[in-house]
Amino acid sequence: MSKHEQKRYIKEYAATFVKEMTALITAGKVPEEWDGHELRLWFSIKAADNAKASILRRMPRGKRARDFNNALICHNL
């Protein structure tokens, strides 16, 4: 995947969460007392739940998952 495609994917992926979450805020489903701490954690939980569908999560001992974890370490991501 090219750098341009990677950037577009990340922007679209994050925009999906933003759209869903802001709709829930608009609908009054999110407590008004929540500030950055709760909202940040809520966002990360939604992203983690979505990532469960990834082959890297379903096969954590596979070569692709090992390569991914190695890249995180080697590139300080």
Side-chain angles (χ1 to χ4, degrees), residues 54-66:
S54 170
I55 192 168
L56 300 176
R57 294 283 185 184
R58 288 184 281 131
M59 298 177 62
R61 290 188 167 81
K63 181 180 180 339
R64 190 168 182 177
R66 288 193 315 269

Side-chain angles (χ1 to χ4, degrees), residues 2-15:
S2 71
K3 287 182 181 183
H4 175 72
E5 291 170 323
Q6 289 173 333
K7 289 177 186 180
R8 188 179 71 227
Y9 178 84
I10 291 297
K11 287 176 184 177
E12 290 172 1
Y13 184 73

Side-chain angles (χ1 to χ4, degrees), residues 26-64:
T26 301
K29 298 198 179 249
V30 176
E32 285 192 30
E33 64 271 10
W34 280 18
D35 65 10
H37 295 283
E38 290 85 359
L39 296 173
R40 186 179 304 127
L41 183 57
W42 180 37
F43 189 95
S44 71
I45 290 168
K46 287 189 70 63
D49 285 346
N50 187 272
K52 288 178 183 175
S54 170
I55 192 168
L56 300 176
R57 294 283 185 184
R58 288 184 281 131
M59 298 177 62
R61 290 188 167 81
K63 181 180 180 339
R64 190 168 182 177

